Each structure stands twice: as C-alpha cells, then as structure tokens.
Amino acid sequence: MQTDTSNAAELDGAMGAMPLLAAAELQDHLMTVTNDLERLQRLLDDAGEALSTHFYSASGQVMTLLSGSDGSAASEGLKQIMQDIAGAITALQFQDMATQLIAHTSQRLRNCADQLARDTFGMDDEDGVAVVEIAPLRPNPVTQDEMDAGSIELF
C-alpha cells in the first residue's frame, strides 16, 4: 500500500509541475516575441531614418535644380520627381505608425509575461511584491490599417 501512496504523490507532483513547466515555457515564448518585436522596431527606426535623410536630401537637390530651371520639359520632370518624393515621405508616416503599434504590442506582451510570472511563480520575495507594469489602456494606438491616398491622421 505504501507504494500506491508514493505513486499517487508522484503523480500529483508531476501534474502540479506540468502547469508550472507550461507557464514557464509560455513566459519564455512571450519574452522571445517581445525581444523580436523590439529588434524589429529598431530596424524600422533605422530604415525610416535613412530613408528620411535620403528623401530630404534628394528633395533639396531637386528644389535647387527647379529654382534654376527655365520651365522646360526637364523642369516638369523635376516637378514629378518632387511629387514622388513627397509621396515617399508620406509613406514614411506609416513607418511611424508601425513603430507605435510594435511598441504597444510589445508592452502588452511584456505585461502578459510579467503577470504570468507573478501569478504562476509567486514572484514576491523579501523585497516586496513583484511589480507588473499596467497594460496599455487603449487596445490599439493606431487606427489606420492601410496606406490609401487621402488624409492621414498625424499625431
């Protein structure tokens, strides 16, 4: 009979450990995704900065050429280039919105991971209660979901 009792205790222990293992694995996945999103945000920021620099430089050069033009067909081509550059700069506003959405999503995921750790592992210790940042109150900071011509809400 003693063997049956020890097997039952082992089974209870194994079943109790399984949710902890699953919670630890889920928290690890959440943190990995959060880190990937933060890396993606840095890449988008760097690309956006480089694009802005180049577009503004090209715009300045075209404006210089336009100021010395005589109204020929070439100057019409330069005006078209300016419109194209302006469209590209407008598109960069969507990079800013994407960055905001990534930051928001990353914050929500980190909040989930922290809550999971606190609730599952009891992260309170002699220093006090585990601090979990408050999740963003708004469900989504960006309402635009496609890049159509028309008005863009700037923030």
Side-chain angles (χ1 to χ4, degrees), residues 1-144:
M1 284 273 183
Q2 195 171 14
T3 307
D4 291 336
T5 307
S6 63
N7 285 343
E10 285 176 26
L11 184 58
D12 286 344
M15 290 181 74
M18 191 54 123
L20 285 177
L21 248 112
E25 189 172 320
L26 179 59
Q27 183 195 24
D28 187 47
H29 287 302
L30 288 171
M31 294 307 294
T32 299
V33 169
T34 300
N35 292 335
D36 288 347
L37 284 173
E38 289 169 358
R39 230 179 12 247
L40 176 60
Q41 184 170 354
R42 285 190 302 273
L43 289 169
L44 281 172
D45 287 343
D46 290 346
E49 185 65 34
L51 286 169
S52 291
T53 300
H54 292 294
F55 285 135
Y56 285 117
S57 174
S59 175
Q61 291 175 17
V62 170
M63 290 302 288
T64 301
L65 292 171
L66 271 173
S67 67
S69 72
D70 57 0
S72 66
S75 64
E76 289 304 314
L78 290 173
K79 288 178 186 175
Q80 181 59 49
I81 291 171
M82 281 303 292
Q83 288 179 355
D84 291 340
I85 290 173
I89 291 170
T90 300
L92 281 174
Q93 293 170 342
F94 286 88
Q95 176 268 335
D96 182 51
M97 288 190 285
T99 297
Q100 289 183 45
L101 185 56
I102 289 170
H104 176 83
T105 302
S106 181
Q107 187 178 6
R108 291 186 74 84
L109 286 170
R110 188 168 299 279
N111 175 266
C112 289
D114 290 348
Q115 281 184 7
L116 181 64
R118 183 193 62 207
D119 296 347
T120 304
F121 306 117
M123 298 302 281
D124 301 341
D125 58 19
E126 65 273 355
D127 294 334
V129 178
V131 177
V132 175
E133 284 188 38
I134 297 172
L137 299 177
R138 291 180 14 196
N140 183 351
V142 177
T143 57
Q144 189 84 16

